[in-house]
Structures are given as structure tokens and as C-alpha cells.
Amino acid sequence: MLGEFEGRDFSSVCEDLHSFAAELYPICRSITGTGIRETLELINTRIPLEITEVPSGTEVFDWTVPKEWNIRDAYIKDASGNRVVDFQRSNLHVVNYSIPVHAAMSLTELEPHLYTLPKQPDLIPYRTSYYKEDWGFCLSHNQKLALTEGRYEVCIDSTLAAGHLSYGECYIAGRSTDEVLISSHCCHPSLANDNLSGLTIAAALARFLSGRDLRYSYRFLFAPGTIGAIAWLARNRDHVACIRHGLVLTGIGDAGGFHYKKSRQGDAEIDLAMAHVLQHSGEFSVTLDFSPYGYDERQYCSPGFNLPVGCLMRSIWGTYPQYHTSADNLEFIRPAQLGASLRVCVAVVDVLEGNRCYQNLSPFCEPQLGKRGLYLSSGGDAGEMAINARLWVLNYSDGKHSLLDIAKRSGLKFQVIRDAADLLFENELLAQFPDDGPSPG
Ligand SMILES: [Zn+2]
């Protein structure tokens, strides 16, 4: 699978990811409303999505699905009728979930509703007020400093009313009903890394996996952050027992190195697989222990669920200056960075698909590889490595060590270990353990 991905024209893979992000970028998304529906519809043009609408007021665990928010326009006009702050220029200008307002007021009256970043005076901040009915505008600090005393016309043409919360799922059936969950939040407006990077990569991964003969089934969830994941978990409480591995994809388009936050379990197969893939990726990477803040892994790894779901990021949220500002734009996510992140995702799926335990059928001393033609070195480091991999696999295939465990122990790449296991299996030196597991494929 990874080989096939690597055989593709990488630059066109990268450009496609970025152009899809550019298509999604202008939409004013929120945790409910038409922006999220338009986003799901665009994803649906690439992969088949089943869309669920959860009514406002629905109780989901300790939370309640909020009213639906929609916005058409918003501005602050000066006395001459000029739009000095204009939603049409950037949807970040309005505090997301602002209630409607249309009034004339002085600058002093307006000021408590203005949000800026004095330390980053050219950038517009991103603010929300989902669970407290309020209104406000976000603008650059320099823009605010340019406002003079006088009367302003303030308008937010929004609605906050009973409606629905929307999420979309793409399910790809494999040989087993055991599932891999890939989850990305889709509620932020014009912010590129957070999280068009996650959305576009998840959609591309789903498209890459579609139509393949897969060991696991894959479920891609595109849901608003926090409340969307909570609503999905509430509606799938019994279903989650079939989730074997999971990944939250977020903030994976910037130039920073990879950060993988482990599941709460800490030693789940996804944690070991991701650590292995990143270690061999040739990219800077750091593995972090689970913490109860961040993205939707907080919900999947809440103690009642404790699912094996980790979170793949590049720069960590909140630590980079572009985070939650207008500088998190299409320039900030580069095609090659998106492509490299997709490659990591394909590589980890390749490990999950191929990882299994074997039993050595000739465990008393080494089997004689030479008489089976398995000790012939094709020469060079690669040939020597292939033979070493066969010895590692034979020695540790005791039904207790998976191929991933053996890869980790040997320092060899998973693919080299798996190729060795395939060859030894064909030569009847290994049996699958347990033998009722899914067949290699
Ligand atoms: Zn965010």
C-alpha cells in the first residue's frame, strides 16, 4: 500500500490537497449551520459521506446540542457609511456564534465588543462564544487604533435558532468489522492549518483506501469540535466497541515537525505504530503522552470510553504565533507539508493493516535458511538487512511479539520485517497466531 502511494506523482498529490483546502477556505464554518453543511457537501464530492443532523436541544451525555447559528453579513460602519470592519472581507471579523445586533453606538459603547491582539497588531484573532449568548467583532489592533470617536452603525445579520448540528461519516468496509476511526474537526471558519489540513488529508486518505481489499473497516468522521464528537459518541455508544485504532488529525499542514499525542492507554497499537512510522519518516518528530486538553481525543479518551485514539499534529495548538489568527491562512499550509503528512497517515495504515503475530514452526535452533534459498544475499546493505529481518522474525515469532514489536526491537522498518514474515510464511516456517486471525493481504 505504501509502495503504491510512493509510486504516485507526489507533487500532484500535494497540489491536490492544497487546492481542496483553498476551495474550503472561504466558507464561514461554525459548530452548526450552513457553513458546516457546505463543507460536508464539498467533501462529499470527493468521498461518499453519510450526513447526520442532530436536533438542537438533544442531550448528549452532559451536554446539550446548541441552537443552530447562521450568518449572512456583519459590519461596523463609520459616520460616513464606510465599512470599517467588514465580514465580507474576512469571516474572522465576527465572533463566531454572535447573536444578531443592529444598533448605533459610540466608540466607548462599542469597545467592550471589540477583540484584538495588541502583541500581533496586524492579525485578526479568531474568537467564539458558543455557550454564552453574546456578540462581538475581531479586528487587527492597528484597525482598532484607527477608529476615531464618533457614532458607528453596528450590524450582525445572524440567526441563532432551533435547528441541527451536522456531521458526516465515510465508511469503508474491510474484511473485518473491526474499525479504524479517523476523526477531524470541521467547525473553524477561514483557518487553514486548524483544520483544513486535517479535513483535506482525511478526505484524501479515505479516497486512497476506497476500493481496496482492506483488513479493517475505516470510519472517517468529520464533525464539529467537542460537541460534534460528543454527539457522535452519544449516538454510537455501543458501536465504539469495534474501534481497534483511532487517530485525530489536526493542524498537520504547517512547517513544524510532527507531534504525536498518544492515546490515554499509552501503549495502544496505534501509539506504537505512529511512533515507529515517525521514527523512520526522516522528519523531525516528538511523541507526547496523553493529556486531557487538545482536540477530540479528549472525548474518545474520556475514562468511560478510553478508546485507543491518538492525535497527529505538526506544531502543537496554541504554541505557534499563527494559531487562531488570520495568519493561519493558505500561505501557512504548504502543499509539500500536506503531502508529507498524508504520507505518514498512509504509512501508519500500512502498519496497522500488516501487523500481526506469527508462530515459528521450527523453533528448536535456527531453521536452515540456505537449503530453502533464504540465505542468499543479493548483496549490499539491503540484502543483508533482509536476511537479518528473517532472523529477527523467526526468533521473536513466539505468538507474543507482533511484527511491529519485532520492528521496534530490531530497529528495522516495519515494511522490511513484514516482507520477511511474508517470505517465511510462504516457506511454511511461520503460522499465523492466533490462526483464526485475518489472513495476510
Ligand atoms: Zn482551533
Side-chain angles (χ1 to χ4, degrees), residues 126 185 188 191 194 295 323-324:
Y126 163 57
H185 66 275
H188 288 31
L191 296 172
D194 183 14
Y295 292 95
Y323 176 77
H324 279 193

PDB file of all heavy atoms in Angstrom, residues 126 185 188 191 194 295 323-324, ligand 1:
ATOM      1  N   TYR A 126      -9.259  34.911  16.151  1.00  0.00           N
ATOM      2  CA  TYR A 126     -10.443  34.057  15.979  1.00  0.00           C
ATOM      3  C   TYR A 126     -11.039  33.831  17.365  1.00  0.00           C
ATOM      4  O   TYR A 126     -10.365  33.320  18.253  1.00  0.00           O
ATOM      5  CB  TYR A 126     -10.031  32.734  15.332  1.00  0.00           C
ATOM      6  CG  TYR A 126     -11.026  31.600  15.453  1.00  0.00           C
ATOM      7  CD1 TYR A 126     -12.330  31.728  14.984  1.00  0.00           C
ATOM      8  CD2 TYR A 126     -10.656  30.385  16.039  1.00  0.00           C
ATOM      9  CE1 TYR A 126     -13.235  30.685  15.103  1.00  0.00           C
ATOM     10  CE2 TYR A 126     -11.546  29.331  16.157  1.00  0.00           C
ATOM     11  CZ  TYR A 126     -12.836  29.491  15.689  1.00  0.00           C
ATOM     12  OH  TYR A 126     -13.728  28.451  15.811  1.00  0.00           O
ATOM     13  N   HIS A 185     -11.923  17.683  13.107  1.00  0.00           N
ATOM     14  CA  HIS A 185     -12.951  18.704  13.392  1.00  0.00           C
ATOM     15  C   HIS A 185     -13.089  19.659  12.209  1.00  0.00           C
ATOM     16  O   HIS A 185     -12.116  19.997  11.543  1.00  0.00           O
ATOM     17  CB  HIS A 185     -12.668  19.446  14.699  1.00  0.00           C
ATOM     18  CG  HIS A 185     -11.440  20.303  14.704  1.00  0.00           C
ATOM     19  ND1 HIS A 185     -10.195  19.824  14.986  1.00  0.00           N
ATOM     20  CD2 HIS A 185     -11.281  21.638  14.487  1.00  0.00           C
ATOM     21  CE1 HIS A 185      -9.320  20.812  14.941  1.00  0.00           C
ATOM     22  NE2 HIS A 185      -9.944  21.923  14.631  1.00  0.00           N
ATOM     23  N   HIS A 188     -14.088  25.219  12.193  1.00  0.00           N
ATOM     24  CA  HIS A 188     -13.431  26.523  12.205  1.00  0.00           C
ATOM     25  C   HIS A 188     -13.670  27.239  10.878  1.00  0.00           C
ATOM     26  O   HIS A 188     -13.675  26.600   9.831  1.00  0.00           O
ATOM     27  CB  HIS A 188     -11.926  26.360  12.430  1.00  0.00           C
ATOM     28  CG  HIS A 188     -11.535  25.958  13.819  1.00  0.00           C
ATOM     29  ND1 HIS A 188     -12.325  25.186  14.634  1.00  0.00           N
ATOM     30  CD2 HIS A 188     -10.423  26.240  14.543  1.00  0.00           C
ATOM     31  CE1 HIS A 188     -11.707  25.005  15.802  1.00  0.00           C
ATOM     32  NE2 HIS A 188     -10.550  25.637  15.767  1.00  0.00           N
ATOM     33  N   LEU A 191      -9.585  29.307   8.662  1.00  0.00           N
ATOM     34  CA  LEU A 191      -8.298  28.978   9.274  1.00  0.00           C
ATOM     35  C   LEU A 191      -7.811  27.732   8.540  1.00  0.00           C
ATOM     36  O   LEU A 191      -8.563  26.776   8.393  1.00  0.00           O
ATOM     37  CB  LEU A 191      -8.445  28.701  10.772  1.00  0.00           C
ATOM     38  CG  LEU A 191      -8.922  29.881  11.636  1.00  0.00           C
ATOM     39  CD1 LEU A 191      -9.221  29.430  13.057  1.00  0.00           C
ATOM     40  CD2 LEU A 191      -7.896  31.010  11.648  1.00  0.00           C
ATOM     41  N   ASP A 194      -5.732  24.847  11.040  1.00  0.00           N
ATOM     42  CA  ASP A 194      -6.702  24.405  12.056  1.00  0.00           C
ATOM     43  C   ASP A 194      -8.117  24.624  11.511  1.00  0.00           C
ATOM     44  O   ASP A 194      -8.719  25.645  11.797  1.00  0.00           O
ATOM     45  CB  ASP A 194      -6.431  25.203  13.331  1.00  0.00           C
ATOM     46  CG  ASP A 194      -7.319  24.806  14.489  1.00  0.00           C
ATOM     47  OD1 ASP A 194      -7.957  23.750  14.416  1.00  0.00           O
ATOM     48  OD2 ASP A 194      -7.396  25.572  15.467  1.00  0.00           O
ATOM     49  N   TYR A 295      -7.658  18.301  21.291  1.00  0.00           N
ATOM     50  CA  TYR A 295      -8.774  18.181  20.343  1.00  0.00           C
ATOM     51  C   TYR A 295      -9.713  17.040  20.771  1.00  0.00           C
ATOM     52  O   TYR A 295      -9.828  16.723  21.944  1.00  0.00           O
ATOM     53  CB  TYR A 295      -8.228  18.048  18.925  1.00  0.00           C
ATOM     54  CG  TYR A 295      -7.574  19.333  18.479  1.00  0.00           C
ATOM     55  CD1 TYR A 295      -6.200  19.528  18.600  1.00  0.00           C
ATOM     56  CD2 TYR A 295      -8.346  20.390  17.995  1.00  0.00           C
ATOM     57  CE1 TYR A 295      -5.612  20.735  18.218  1.00  0.00           C
ATOM     58  CE2 TYR A 295      -7.771  21.589  17.614  1.00  0.00           C
ATOM     59  CZ  TYR A 295      -6.402  21.756  17.720  1.00  0.00           C
ATOM     60  OH  TYR A 295      -5.834  22.939  17.349  1.00  0.00           O
ATOM     61  N   TYR A 323      -1.549  30.593  15.263  1.00  0.00           N
ATOM     62  CA  TYR A 323      -2.673  29.832  15.821  1.00  0.00           C
ATOM     63  C   TYR A 323      -3.868  30.726  16.124  1.00  0.00           C
ATOM     64  O   TYR A 323      -3.732  31.758  16.784  1.00  0.00           O
ATOM     65  CB  TYR A 323      -2.210  29.119  17.092  1.00  0.00           C
ATOM     66  CG  TYR A 323      -3.303  28.377  17.819  1.00  0.00           C
ATOM     67  CD1 TYR A 323      -3.766  27.153  17.353  1.00  0.00           C
ATOM     68  CD2 TYR A 323      -3.875  28.902  18.974  1.00  0.00           C
ATOM     69  CE1 TYR A 323      -4.775  26.474  18.029  1.00  0.00           C
ATOM     70  CE2 TYR A 323      -4.875  28.228  19.651  1.00  0.00           C
ATOM     71  CZ  TYR A 323      -5.327  27.017  19.169  1.00  0.00           C
ATOM     72  OH  TYR A 323      -6.325  26.346  19.836  1.00  0.00           O
ATOM     73  N   HIS A 324      -5.029  30.336  15.642  1.00  0.00           N
ATOM     74  CA  HIS A 324      -6.283  31.079  15.879  1.00  0.00           C
ATOM     75  C   HIS A 324      -6.175  32.563  15.509  1.00  0.00           C
ATOM     76  O   HIS A 324      -6.693  33.422  16.225  1.00  0.00           O
ATOM     77  CB  HIS A 324      -6.752  30.898  17.327  1.00  0.00           C
ATOM     78  CG  HIS A 324      -7.474  29.583  17.527  1.00  0.00           C
ATOM     79  ND1 HIS A 324      -8.209  29.285  18.649  1.00  0.00           N
ATOM     80  CD2 HIS A 324      -7.600  28.491  16.717  1.00  0.00           C
ATOM     81  CE1 HIS A 324      -8.739  28.072  18.533  1.00  0.00           C
ATOM     82  NE2 HIS A 324      -8.372  27.562  17.364  1.00  0.00           N
TER      83      HIS A 324
HETATM   84 ZN    ZN B   1      -8.846  25.583  16.938  1.00  0.00          ZN
END
